[in-house]
Amino acid sequence: NLQWSKQIHQAHLLTAGTDLRWIDGETNEDATFSQTLGDFTRRRKAGGEQFLAGAYLQDIFTPAPGWQVTVAGRLDSWQSFNASRVEKNKQTGAITPTSPGSFSDRDELAFSPKVALLYHATDQLSLRSSFYKGFRAPTINELFRPFRVRNDITEANPDLNPERLIGGEVGADYTFMSNLFGRLTAFWNEVKDPVVNVTKGIGPGTVAPCGFVPAGGVCRQRENLDRTRIRGIEAELEYRPFLRWTFTGSYLYNHTEVLSAPNQPDLEGKRIAQVPRHQFALKASYINPALVNVSVQGRFVGDQFEDDLNTLKLGDFFVVDLMLSRPIPVPGVTAGELFLAVENLFDRTYEVSKTADGIVTTGAPLLVHGGLRLRF
């Protein structure tokens, strides 16, 4: 990443830059277990390379006291190459007839503009708005690597298109008192060609493109839907009753919906999988470097669906995390700190995923970790 900034005529802050990323990903795994042989019968090798390059230019313009305008644009180039998927018979070494082999190289260009406005209406109130477009290239994992969780099979898709987002938001920041601050934001986004795991069929039997699916299993494939919408409200409140104490609360309402899916009409009107509608967090912090710094945070995550058809529901949960730290002097070091963290303090059991035949994966149990941080 390379970035350049310069103040021009006291009214313009220009920023320009570029970033490059090269990714090489490969999976080597055995698949298709045979009860008769007591071993896997296939060996799969899949992967490829990606090169992503972007260039951007931004101007933060102050036309008058209290006003700030941001205009920005970004150009992205995405290339996918040297991609393949080969499956061989593990016993004989012969390439299976259904092995896709090599995939064609691909490249895409995308331009993403952004316009934002900030107005300091009073010393207590600021109003803001923005309009933007975005771009996300499908990953090597989504394009080329199939995977299986028990009897649920998810196939890759080398023909995926990039996701393209258009959206906007409006919001306000308000200082009620010197120690009480609030923020409220409403947002609206639409995504063109979102990548979704689409259900193709249920076992037992042969379901394209997964092949044989056992009883209780399901076949899914990554596909682009036509359009989805995400809209909601985000609120935050911060209160500092004393110098060393801070209390914060935040809430996110996230309403997601599949707007258009001509090839999967059953999905229209459904919620997007693995996105909870309600989330909130409460945090209390005590800062005393001479003694100890303490923070306690509680997080609530509302119910959500594991699958695109909204048939596998994951329940809501609330977990509490604790963090302790204390700065310590260390010779020759800019800063030193001892820390101790406890995640899921009350050892709550909660669902994070579920298969079609009822196998539930739970989240991390009580986890304690600590250590020493040094900054040079």
Side-chain angles (χ1 to χ4, degrees), residues 65-291:
W67 290 88
Q68 187 178 89
V69 180
T70 300
V71 180
R74 178 183 173 91
L75 182 66
D76 282 285
S77 171
W78 166 64
Q79 299 176 40
S80 175
F81 52 96
N82 291 340
S84 65
R85 173 178 160 188
V86 177
E87 298 191 10
K88 296 182 179 180
N89 184 297
K90 190 177 175 183
Q91 283 69 41
T92 66
I95 297 177
T96 61
T98 58
S99 187
S102 299
F103 300 105
S104 300
D105 295 348
R106 298 175 58 190
D107 61 86
E108 295 272 354
L109 278 175
F111 177 69
S112 304
K114 175 184 176 181
V115 178
L117 177 66
L118 174 63
Y119 173 52
H120 298 288
T122 67
D123 291 340
Q124 292 78 35
L125 176 64
S126 295
L127 304 174
R128 48 191 164 77
S129 64
S130 62
F131 170 81
Y132 43 80
K133 296 181 71 175
F135 164 86
R136 188 188 77 88
T139 65
I140 294 174
N141 186 57
E142 293 169 332
L143 290 166
F144 310 120
R145 180 185 177 269
F147 69 92
R148 177 170 176 163
V149 179
R150 193 172 165 85
N151 292 326
D152 290 2
I153 303 169
T154 302
E155 272 290 330
N157 186 348
D159 298 320
L160 290 174
N161 292 318
E163 298 178 338
R164 299 177 188 268
L165 176 144
I166 182 171
E169 63 180 51
V170 294
D173 304 333
Y174 190 74
T175 303
F176 298 92
M177 298 181 293
S178 60
N179 60 353
L180 181 60
F181 172 80
R183 178 189 297 266
L184 182 66
T185 304
F187 58 88
W188 165 87
N189 296 309
E190 284 195 11
V191 181
K192 174 69 175 174
D193 294 328
V195 177
V196 174
N197 293 340
V198 174
T199 299
K200 293 296 186 178
I202 299 174
T206 300
V207 181
C210 299
F212 179 75
V213 179
V218 63
C219 169
R220 299 187 181 98
Q221 185 179 30
R222 297 182 175 100
E223 289 190 0
N224 292 111
L225 302 185
D226 181 53
R227 193 174 296 273
T228 58
R229 181 175 60 199
I230 306 100
R231 53 185 174 173
I233 295 174
E234 187 173 10
E236 182 180 347
L237 195 64
E238 180 179 298
Y239 178 49
R240 295 184 177 182
F242 307 105
L243 179 63
R244 300 186 185 278
W245 288 91
T246 303
F247 298 90
T248 58
S250 62
Y251 170 73
L252 173 63
Y253 173 72
N254 208 12
H255 186 281
T256 65
E257 182 182 5
V258 176
L259 293 181
S260 176
N263 296 327
Q264 297 86 24
D266 291 344
L267 300 185
E268 294 181 0
K270 296 286 196 301
R271 288 168 57 179
I272 298 176
Q274 301 173 356
V275 180
R277 183 164 290 179
H278 302 278
Q279 298 181 69
F280 71 78
L282 300 172
K283 184 177 181 180
S285 300
Y286 172 74
I287 306 299
N288 188 347
L291 182 62

Side-chain angles (χ1 to χ4, degrees), residues 44-70:
R44 176 188 299 133
K45 182 177 181 180
E49 297 179 61
Q50 285 186 340
F51 182 74
L52 299 100
Y56 55 90
L57 177 64
Q58 175 179 277
D59 180 19
I60 300 178
F61 174 46
T62 307
W67 290 88
Q68 187 178 89
V69 180
T70 300

Side-chain angles (χ1 to χ4, degrees), residues 28-47:
N28 293 277
E29 56 192 349
D30 292 340
T32 316
F33 187 82
S34 170
Q35 295 285 355
T36 304
L37 298 176
D39 195 5
F40 293 96
T41 60
R42 287 191 183 186
R43 178 154 290 167
R44 176 188 299 133
K45 182 177 181 180

